[in-house]
Amino acid sequence: MKLYDGGAYLVNGTDLIAAGTGAATEIGAADGADIAAEIKSKSGLTITREQAAEQTITYGILKEHNVSDDMKKLQIKFDKLTSHDITFVGIIQTARASGLEKFPIPYVLTNCHNSLCAVGGTINEDDHMFGLTCAKRYGGVYVPPHQAVIHQFAREMLAEGGKMILGSDSHTRYGALGTMAVGEGGPELVKQLLNKTYDIDMPEVVGVYLTGEPIKGVGPQDVALAIIGEVFEKGFVKNKVMEFVGPGVLNLSADFRIGVDVMTTETTCLSSIWRTDEKIREFYGIHGREGDYRELNPGEAAYYDGMIELDLSEVRPMIAMPFHPSNTYTIDELNRDLMDILDDCEKRAQVSFDGKVNLDLKSKVRAGKLYVDQGIIAGCAGGGFENICDAADILRGASIGADEFTLSVYPASTPIYMELVRNGTVADLMATGAIVKTAFCGPCFGAGDTPANNAFSIRHSTRNFPNREGSKVQNGQVASVALMDARSIASTAANKGILTAATEFDGDFTKPKYFFDSTIYKNRVFDSKGVADPSVEIQFGPNIKDWPAMSALPENLILKVVSEIHDPVTTTDELIPSGETSSFRSNPLGLAEFALSRKDPEYVGRAKEVQKAQKAIEAGECPGDALPEVHEIMQIIKSKFNNISKENVGFGSTIFAVKPGDGSAREQAASCQKVLGGWANIANEYATKRYRSNLINWGMLPLLIDAGDLPFSNLDYIFMPEIRRAISDGKTEFEAYVVKDGGLAPFKLRMAELTPDEKDIILKGCLINYYRG
């Protein structure tokens, strides 16, 4: 794999030319003259870099959806929206509080996360009934539990060539089908529901130039992990669009492309798009939607801000070891250096779990081979028709054994499941001892197939973050997940749990044809056809609660640091755990009790203590009476700022993390902090644009501080004078003071530039307040 840091040109869709080092928009400076000559000789074009940048697929789609007059400052209106049952309640509740009367564009509400309706009593099914009645009242589409995971339904029924979809799930990726899709926190969907726009600077575009053809036994997860392992730590595609081009694309089936595409989220890119061809036209035709196909290709000479060149024939079966999809090795490498790699994983666990529990992977080695306890093929990444058929070919006639090892397979939709039943694949899998289950995202986020304590699971799913598989470090439990392709999982299962690469399979892949049957959707999916019915009463359950009132940003701000995290990356799973907590996503106060529970169990109590001071101010009372330590803090601040009083100051909490927000789009990673009185995050950088946007939409300052020695420690107070005026004036650097040892120690905090709307949202305290006026 080769990375072009300085950008590259793609000429005629086949020829790569590394860019020069000249001016940003002109070919000709430095070695640019040679590049210009080469482009002209191959294409006949004389072109500037700026003109060539407009010939990417990405630029064309964004231009069609941008309603501003400036292609550098985009205001995007999406064609469709999609959410699932741990996000749509909060989104619709926010939109209702802001004046929602009708869904202005198609909005699909799927139910693939809180599908286990025995968890928490009635609350999950209450959320489903809320969704159904909202789809009727506001004119949406409702997909009942177990029918399809969110992204498979979107592929089958929503995607269209050249269109854009916004989803409240980070793996909203339909680029292989020619749809540019973006996963964001719920507030960004609220904006679309209220006819507002998605405002971003024109993103950089990184080409992924594919050549060659995968060897037998290599699947889409192998290709995806190879890319993630190469680019994640470098931040090579962070907040950029990945555009898949090159002759190698033609050698991949639609299902294979989809399997690579969905994993681009783990690179931290903004979105993805692929060139399309007859295989994608066939996909649309199979699903009865050939008219939604659109051929997409870059222009004759397209400029990319970066380029990834990958020969598919060089990819080998991969494994992403705990605790991140970028912790990658080939399976051959792992088996060759087994004890060293397992020792490294155990050391990573000590860091992730702060030494509270011990991960013991070396005990999984038997006679020099790694034994795994569980295999899972599931969800938007693994549950595709081709993945499961190939896995069945490897397993046919074998047995997974009668020991600890188990194998569960989750087809991504009921139509896929029905076809697997009809062609005999389900019977073949079940005969081996595998269990085939309904469409459900649970294994991906810790709500299904949670392994035993200290068990090691291999999964064709999307993530392997700490505790994401469902174990609870606060209860002394630890398990771990490695990501692999369905084919190598099947080979391991056929070997009764001994880690085995699919390239060792010497049989044939039958590649049965897929026949899509939409009957089940016609019989079970509610589709309003865009017609709202205001007479429908929304059905609420006792767990569905409104958002608490939130104050506007005060003139001056006093923050207490209530958690300090020095891990290289802090995931949204650590900020607000997934799994059983998902049942509380409709209850802001109830869910907030789980914030940072697996990372810093003292966080909630500390945040609530600081919140007492703010609540006292809002009630016109003395904050020091509610929180006695505030008396001293206020006196120290007044020694330099004598105009500070309870009338012009606010109290809140903040956390410091090196790089927070990797992973899920879940807005609750931010909203839970806000509900508990949070006013800011302080970080060296933010892992994703999504998390930073969630902070802003919940009225929290996404502050930055340079890496190095921190001027403050956990439990210190920080004073930010005239912060409201600074935000209003558009400042990006702020005066701050650590209140400590009887004095004020000055330091600087920064913040990336805000859009005008983002500035107003923070000033008003949150997106809900912004829309209420």
Side-chain angles (χ1 to χ4, degrees), residues 438-461:
T438 54
F440 179 36
C441 296
C444 189
F445 69 95
D449 281 297
T450 301
N453 184 53
N454 205 53
F456 183 49
S457 178
I458 53 174
R459 302 186 175 196
H460 192 158
S461 60

Side-chain angles (χ1 to χ4, degrees), residues 62 97 153 270 670:
L62 290 174
F153 187 84
L270 177 73

Side-chain angles (χ1 to χ4, degrees), residues 4-44:
Y4 294 74
D5 286 312
Y9 293 87
L10 179 63
V11 181
N12 300 322
T14 56
D15 297 322
L16 275 186
I17 304 173
T21 56
T25 61
E26 293 293 335
I27 302 170
D31 60 348
D34 293 337
I35 293 172
E38 188 174 359
I39 291 173
K40 187 169 184 179
S41 70
K42 292 179 182 298
S43 67

Side-chain angles (χ1 to χ4, degrees), residues 143 189 231 263 282 310 353-354 356 369 389 461 465 537 558 680 712:
V143 183
L189 276 79
V231 306
M263 290 297 292
E282 181 185 25
L310 174 62
F353 302 138
D354 298 322
K356 295 172 185 174
K369 301 288 187 179
C389 287
S461 60
F465 296 161
E537 292 291 328
I558 300 173
F712 54 82

Side-chain angles (χ1 to χ4, degrees), residues 324-335:
H324 199 275
S326 65
N327 187 21
T328 55
Y329 304 88
T330 67
I331 293 176
D332 287 344
E333 284 175 328
L334 175 61
N335 284 330

